[in-house]
Amino acid sequence: MYILVAADHHHQAHPRILVRMKSPIIFIFSLLLSSCYAAVQDFCVADFTAPESPTGYACKKPATVTVDDFVFSGLGIAGNTSNLIKAAVTPAFAAQFPALNGLGISLVRLDLALDGVVPFHTHPGGSEVLIVEKGTICAGFVSSANTVYFQTLEKGDIMVFPQGLLHFQFNSGRILAEAYASFSSASPGLQILDYALFGNDLPTELVAATTFLDTAQIKKLKGILGGTG
Ligand SMILES: *[C@@H]1O[C@H](CO)[C@@H](O)[C@H](O)[C@H]1NC(C)=O
């Protein structure tokens, strides 16, 4: 035996590895052998046949992983902004780009038509860094202390939105705006405040009681955003 594991009496939970070198060649051989058993898992490409857990997806068997898992095509074309908010978010999260699973990073493309807006929203799972590629975007967030930080961003400007805080992006220019955002999570999530408040079936009286808004305004917004009640 050239590798001995010995318990440290002061730190029982962290056994020390003692290496005795009899011959350098045998030592290297034994290191090679041990590295076979301690192989590092380089990646965990998402296996979509199993459900997602709070820590991400299960891993595809490495033998079935191909280069296509590591390449995502689809951010090269503008998203469809013919919608209520005149905006399109094209995600490359783990759900669309399986190789991101477990890596703690992801990207989206953002297209804003004239007057387009991504209304107040949060990403519960990660912080966001936004870079403007075309046009002019007024972006901002509100801190937990209710301080507002907003700025008009031009091409090349970058703004960061700390994890979980409500933020928005609005096309304040005269041309279409294009931006890209990266996240500190493979599945940062997206919750849009207006949809959370008015796009569901929470009874109008309860929305009124919890937001101090008029019932007429609530019913109008429920109508626009697909809510009932
Ligand atoms: C964009 O979305 C609108 C509304 O859903 C739809 O009518 C239109 O066909 C879409 N345009 C393209 C190019 O897909």
Side-chain angles (χ1 to χ4, degrees):
M1 291 295 283
Y2 298 94
I3 296 181
L4 301 173
V5 177
D8 180 330
H9 295 297
H10 298 290
H11 303 94
Q12 294 284 350
H14 303 286
R16 277 184 298 168
I17 294 174
L18 301 180
V19 179
R20 273 193 205 157
M21 291 178 61
K22 267 197 175 167
S23 134
I25 288 171
I26 293 175
F27 172 61
I28 288 166
F29 181 67
S30 63
L31 266 188
L32 282 176
L33 264 185
S34 66
S35 70
C36 294
Y37 297 107
V40 171
Q41 193 170 0
D42 292 327
F43 45 76
C44 174
V45 174
D47 174 2
F48 292 133
T49 62
E52 190 178 13
S53 83
T55 54
Y57 294 93
C59 311
K60 262 171 89 167
K61 286 197 177 66
T64 67
V65 171
T66 70
V67 66
D68 290 339
D69 289 307
F70 297 101
V71 177
F72 179 87
S73 301
L75 299 193
I77 47 165
N80 187 343
T81 56
S82 300
N83 53 50
L84 183 67
I85 60 176
K86 300 175 185 164
V89 175
T90 310
F93 295 160
Q96 295 80 28
F97 189 5
L100 294 186
N101 186 47
L103 299 184
I105 50 173
S106 59
L107 273 174
V108 297
R109 171 180 175 138
L110 171 62
D111 292 285
L112 294 169
L114 293 182
D115 296 325
V117 63
V118 186
F120 265 120
H121 64 281
T122 77
H123 307 285
S127 296
E128 170 179 350
V129 194
L130 179 91
I131 178 162
V132 177
E133 168 62 23
K134 259 184 218 152
T136 306
I137 294 176
C138 176
F141 69 89
V142 186
S143 74
S144 300
N146 279 335
T147 304
V148 182
Y149 301 87
F150 75 101
Q151 181 73 273
T152 299
L153 309 173
E154 308 284 351
K155 180 181 166 75
D157 290 340
I158 295 174
M159 184 165 181
V160 63
F161 307 95
Q163 180 166 352
L165 298 184
L166 282 167
H167 60 284
F168 64 86
Q169 288 103 12
F170 172 68
N171 183 352
S172 58
R174 293 168 196 276
I175 59 168
L176 306 187
E178 177 186 332
Y180 296 84
S182 70
F183 296 86
S184 61
S185 166
S187 298
L190 167 65
Q191 184 170 36
I192 298 178
L193 182 61
D194 288 303
Y195 286 89
L197 291 175
F198 311 113
N200 56 38
D201 59 1
L202 187 65
T204 295
E205 312 79 69
L206 273 178
V207 178
T210 53
T211 61
F212 309 109
L213 293 172
D214 297 342
T215 55
Q217 180 69 13
I218 293 166
K219 284 189 186 297
K220 180 184 148 195
L221 288 169
K222 275 179 176 285
I224 295 170
L225 298 174
T228 58

